[in-house]
Amino acid sequence: MRKKQYRLERTHLNSLLKLLREEGYQTYGPVRGELAMEWAPLTDVGELPRGWTSAHGPAHYRLENRGGESLFGYRNGPESLKKFLHPPRARIMKAERNGGAFRILEDRPAAAKRAFLGVKPCDVAAVAALDRVLLNDRYSDDIYQANRAGLFLIAVHCTECAETCFCASSKAGPQAKTGFDIALHERLDGAMPEYFAECGTAAGAALLEKTGAPPAPPEWARELADACALAAGAQQRKVDFSSAAAVVERNYDSPRWDDIARRCMACGNCTQACPTCFCVNFEEHSSLDLQTAERHRVWDSCFTQNFTYIHGGSVRLSTKSRYRHWLGHKLARWQQQFGSPGCVGCGRCITWCPAGIDITAEFEWLKAGAPAAI
Amino acid sequence: MSFKHEKPRVAVFKFASCDGCQLSLLDAEDELLAVAGAVEIAYFPEASRRMQKGPYDIALVEGSITTPHDAELIHQVRRQSKTLITIGACATAGGIQALRNWRDVSEFVRVVYAKPDFISTLKMSTPVAEHVPVDLELRGCPIQKEHLIEVIAATLAGRRPNLPTYSVCLECKRRSNVCLMVAAGTPCLGPATQAGCGALCPSMGRGGYGCFGPMENANAPSLAERFYTLGATQPEVDRAFRSFNAWAWQFRKVSEEVHQQ
C-alpha cells in the first residue's frame, strides 16, 4: 500500500497540535532556551525557533540566528526524549511500618500522553533503541512502558546536519525511515515553508487526514530523498559499525586508551547526554523515625566508581577502563546484545564532552592505529 | 550499629572554621525535631549549654587543625568517639585557611597582630584525616544539611548513606541544566568536583566553584587544560583551584603546576 502523503502549511501544523491536545496529549516542541534548544510545551508553531540553528563542535555549542522562515532548521540540543520516557529520578517503592510488619504503598504516578513535534531522525532511532532494551528484552521496564505507550512522534527529516553528526553511519538518518507516527520534510523553496508529510502509523494517518491538508505533489518524495542524501554526503564524521566488534576486541591493550584517559574527566556527561544510555542506580531512603522507607531509581553512568561496585570493591577503577567499556558497549557489544548499535550518531557525546573527546575520531584511531584524517 | 544507650549519643566539635557546617544542623528546621527525637545531643556547645562527657557514638567534627592545641584535642575527640565524621571543606581538606600552607604564617602573624607573642599557630592548616582516622567525610562549603540527616538516618537504620562521589555534571544533567562550559564558554569546576550540592551554581548560570572538593577519579589537569582553551589566564586557573578545597591533593597538584610554569 502506498502511504498517503500530504502538503502542509503552518496552519496545518497548528491543527496537528490542536488535534493532539484534543486527544489528551501534552504537546512539546523544540524551543529556544537561554543557551540551547530544549523540549518545551508547545501550543503554537509560533513558539518554534524560527530562523535559529546552532553551531556544534567537540565541547562546543552555540545558538545562532541565521534568519529566514525555517521552523525546523534547529539542530539537536543537549536533551533527547530520554528524560521523558526514562526519567532521571523515579520513586519506585514506598513502604510504611505497620506494627511489626510493613506494607508497600502504591503511589506510581500516572504516565502522561506526550506528543513531540519536530523530532530529528536520530532521536526517533534512539527511541527504537531504548525500546529494544527496555521493552523488548527479557524484562520490560514498566515506567518506560507506560511513558512509551503515550508517545506520539512527529519526526522532521534532516536536510542539513551539525558538524558533530554521523547518523549516516548508524543509518538512523538523515532521513527518518521508521519509528514515527508522522514525518515532515520542511521545504524552503517558496516564500513560506511548506511541509511534505508522511504517516508512519494508523494514528498518524488518521490525524493527517483530519487536518484537511491537500495531497502532496508526487515528486516531493523524490526531492526529500535527494535532499537527505546530500545531507548524508556532507557528514564528515563516520563510524564503521560493522567492524566495531573486531576493532574493539583487538585494541583491548591499545595505548590509545591511556591517551584518552589523560583527557577524559570521567564526569559522565557523554552518558547523560546520550539518547540511548539507560543505566540506573537504586537508592534506599529511610526516615529518621524509621517508620517509612523509599526506593528511588536514579540515572547512573558507567563512568562512576560505584557503577561496578561489587563485594570487595569496584571492578573498573581507572578512567581508562571506563572509557574503554563505554565505547566498546556503545559501538560494538550493544550490537551483540540487542541486534543494533547503541549509538545513533547524534553526536551529543562529542558536543557535550567538556574535554572535547570525539568518539568517532577515537574509533578511527583505534581502527587505523593512527590519528583520523579529520 | 548497636548503641549502648537507647539513642545514639551525638557530639559536635569545632576546630578552625566559620561554624557554617554545624549551623546547617540547626538549620534543618523541618527535620530538627525528628533529629532531636532520634539521637541524644550530648555535646553541642553552639546549641546547648548542657555539655555531657563522652564517650560518644557519633562525633561530628568541623574545622581544620591549625594550632598545637587543635592537634592535641583531635586525638581526645577520636578516643571518645565510636564513629568520627568530618563535616565540611575545612575538616576534610583544610579549608580556605589552607592557603597559608603556601606562605610564611609567622610573617602574617607579625603583620596582623599587635602582640604576635600571644599567637600560637601551626605552619599549616590540615584536614582532620591527616591527624586521626576518620570514618566518614561529608564534603562541602558548607555541607548539605540533607547529607547530615541522611547520615543520621542511615546510621539509625543500619544502612549505607547515599552520598555521591561522582561529578557535579550528573546532577546538572538530571536537572536539565545546559552545560555552561560547552554552551557559554564559562569555566566550571563541575567535571572535577564531587556532587552533593545539587548543581547549585550552574543552575543559577554560574560555573561551579568546587565547594565539594575533588570527585573520585578527578582529572583536574584535563579540566585546567580546558580552562586555558577557553581563554583563562594562569592566575585565573590558579584561583579556580585554590579556594575552599585548595589543599585537597588533586586540586593542589594543578595549582602547584601552574605556579611552576
Side-chain angles (χ1 to χ4, degrees):
Chain A
M1 187 191 80
R2 196 177 133 76
K3 281 179 190 165
K4 283 186 90 173
Q5 297 165 330
Y6 298 85
R7 173 182 197 153
L8 271 56
E9 292 176 27
R10 273 180 70 139
T11 52
H12 295 120
L13 295 183
N14 269 336
S15 306
L16 279 178
L17 291 173
K18 189 161 172 284
L19 288 164
L20 284 162
R21 280 198 305 281
E22 281 166 11
E23 288 184 20
Y25 285 97
Q26 299 169 12
T27 48
Y28 288 83
V31 170
R32 181 170 59 91
E34 197 186 333
L35 292 173
M37 295 296 171
E38 53 193 50
W39 291 107
L42 186 89
T43 51
D44 188 285
V45 291
E47 298 156 43
L48 289 167
R50 183 168 58 93
W52 282 86
T53 186
S54 47
H56 295 234
H60 182 80
Y61 175 98
R62 288 292 184 282
L63 285 172
E64 282 180 1
N65 188 350
R66 58 177 170 181
E69 291 298 323
S70 170
L71 299 179
F72 297 105
Y74 88 98
R75 285 150 187 172
N76 270 332
E79 293 191 317
S80 63
L81 304 188
K82 179 171 79 171
K83 73 166 182 180
F84 297 99
L85 299 170
H86 184 57
R89 182 176 280 277
R91 183 164 73 195
I92 59 166
M93 194 191 83
K94 188 173 181 182
E96 192 178 66
R97 220 185 259 278
N98 186 10
F102 67 90
R103 65 192 175 104
I104 307 287
L105 305 171
E106 282 294 333
D107 68 337
R108 189 65 57 78
K113 282 177 81 177
R114 296 190 188 92
F116 292 86
L117 169 65
V119 185
K120 302 275 175 175
C122 52
D123 281 355
V124 175
V127 173
L130 285 176
D131 284 353
R132 284 190 281 278
V133 178
L134 299 173
L135 282 188
N136 305 330
D137 199 34
R138 198 180 310 170
Y139 303 102
S140 64
D141 180 292
D142 58 350
I143 295 175
Y144 182 85
Q145 193 168 31
N147 288 321
R148 181 70 178 88
L151 183 69
F152 192 95
L153 288 178
I154 304 177
V156 58
H157 304 290
C158 274
T159 48
E160 48 182 352
C161 301
E163 193 201 307
T164 44
C165 291
F166 55 103
C167 66
S169 295
S170 68
K171 301 190 172 59
Q175 184 172 354
K177 297 280 173 58
T178 177
F180 51 79
D181 293 285
I182 294 171
L184 303 174
H185 171 216
E186 185 174 56
R187 298 174 52 90
L188 296 162
D189 35 4
M192 289 299 280
E194 287 186 293
Y195 299 90
F196 172 53
E198 293 171 289
C199 56
T201 60
L207 205 68
L208 279 174
E209 192 60 39
K210 279 190 206 167
T211 61
E219 68 274 18
W220 279 17
R222 176 66 179 279
E223 288 172 23
L224 160 66
D226 289 349
C228 289
L230 208 62
Q235 287 185 3
Q236 293 165 32
R237 289 179 163 79
K238 60 181 191 311
V239 168
D240 175 15
F241 285 96
S242 64
S243 71
V247 170
V248 168
E249 195 176 335
R250 77 164 180 264
N251 279 291
Y252 188 82
D253 290 319
S254 167
R256 190 66 186 166
W257 304 117
D258 296 298
D259 184 84
I260 295 167
R262 272 192 285 279
R263 290 168 281 144
C264 177
M265 298 189 248
C267 62
N269 272 300
C270 48
T271 59
Q272 309 298 286
C274 176
T276 69
C277 272
F278 55 84
C279 286
V280 289
N281 189 21
F282 295 90
E283 293 178 353
E284 311 291 341
H285 296 268
S286 55
S287 64
L288 282 164
D289 61 7
L290 300 176
Q291 294 304 303
T292 57
E294 296 183 3
R295 179 171 294 166
H296 292 216
R297 192 181 83 176
V298 192
W299 277 0
D300 203 359
S301 168
C302 50
F303 282 87
T304 72
Q305 190 161 308
N306 188 55
F307 187 81
T308 56
Y309 183 85
I310 55 169
H311 173 76
S314 291
V315 175
R316 284 191 284 273
L317 283 171
S318 67
T319 298
K320 163 186 165 176
S321 65
R322 293 179 205 167
Y323 190 90
R324 183 173 57 199
H325 165 79
W326 177 71
L327 182 145
H329 191 220
K330 283 277 123 176
L331 304 184
R333 290 190 299 279
W334 198 302
Q335 297 191 58
Q336 294 151 14
Q337 253 181 306
F338 304 110
S340 64
C343 171
V344 293
C346 71
R348 285 189 178 92
C349 59
I350 305 170
T351 305
W352 299 98
C353 170
I357 298 171
D358 179 345
I359 191 173
T360 66
E362 299 308 337
F363 180 78
E364 283 297 303
W365 206 105
L366 291 164
K367 193 176 175 204
I374 54 168
Chain B
M1 187 186 272
S2 65
F3 306 107
K4 203 170 171 185
H5 312 271
E6 197 177 327
K7 294 178 190 173
R9 303 183 80 221
V10 175
V12 184
F13 296 95
K14 175 191 153 63
F15 292 86
S17 60
C18 76
D19 286 32
C21 290
Q22 50 174 313
L23 271 177
S24 64
L25 183 58
L26 293 174
D27 187 36
E29 290 152 2
D30 295 338
E31 299 88 356
L32 196 56
L33 286 175
V35 171
V39 301
E40 182 194 344
I41 306 284
Y43 182 88
F44 190 2
E46 185 140 324
S48 169
R49 278 180 297 177
R50 200 174 67 106
M51 292 180 264
Q52 300 174 45
K53 286 189 170 146
Y56 310 105
D57 294 303
I58 301 170
L60 302 173
V61 178
E62 176 193 273
S64 67
I65 306 303
T66 58
T67 66
H69 177 250
D70 288 350
E72 176 54 38
L73 184 63
I74 190 62
H75 286 277
Q76 285 181 33
V77 170
R78 177 69 269 189
R79 278 196 295 274
Q80 293 182 69
S81 312
K82 207 164 168 183
T83 301
L84 193 157
I85 301 170
T86 49
I87 57 171
C90 300
T92 59
I96 191 76
Q97 59 273 26
L99 291 177
R100 70 154 77 162
N101 299 359
W102 287 282
R103 302 284 174 178
D104 179 3
V105 177
S106 58
E107 198 179 321
F108 291 155
V109 170
R110 274 200 306 279
V111 171
V112 172
Y113 296 99
K115 291 193 186 292
D117 307 348
F118 291 140
I119 304 299
S120 166
T121 189
L122 296 170
K123 280 189 174 138
M124 308 262 250
S125 167
T126 45
V128 171
E130 284 192 21
H131 299 263
V132 295
V134 169
D135 299 299
L136 182 71
E137 291 187 332
L138 285 189
R139 301 279 197 84
C141 185
I143 57 163
Q144 284 287 91
K145 62 182 181 185
E146 293 80 4
H147 288 183
L148 195 49
I149 291 162
E150 166 65 9
V151 167
I152 295 171
T155 305
L156 293 167
R159 62 173 172 83
R160 286 171 68 96
N162 296 300
L163 297 169
T165 53
Y166 46 70
S167 73
V168 174
C169 303
L170 296 196
E171 293 186 321
C172 255
K173 287 289 188 281
R174 285 177 203 155
R175 289 185 67 154
S176 290
N177 288 342
V178 176
C179 179
L180 291 165
M181 279 224 287
V182 170
T186 308
C188 174
L189 279 169
T193 302
Q194 183 165 302
C197 61
L200 188 59
C201 288
S203 303
M204 299 293 156
R206 300 286 294 266
Y209 289 89
C211 305
F212 277 64
M215 62 184 268
E216 61 184 26
N217 294 61
N219 189 347
S222 176
L223 186 58
E225 205 50 53
R226 195 71 214 160
F227 287 180
Y228 288 126
T229 309
L230 292 173
T233 60
Q234 280 195 352
E236 283 166 347
V237 173
D238 180 37
R239 279 197 295 276
F241 287 97
R242 280 200 183 171
S243 64
F244 324 108
N245 290 286
W247 199 243
W249 72 265
Q250 298 94 328
F251 288 180
R252 184 168 86 205
K253 202 159 159 261
V254 167
S255 67
E256 285 176 354
E257 276 163 16
V258 171
H259 279 260
Q260 277 163 17
Q261 281 163 14

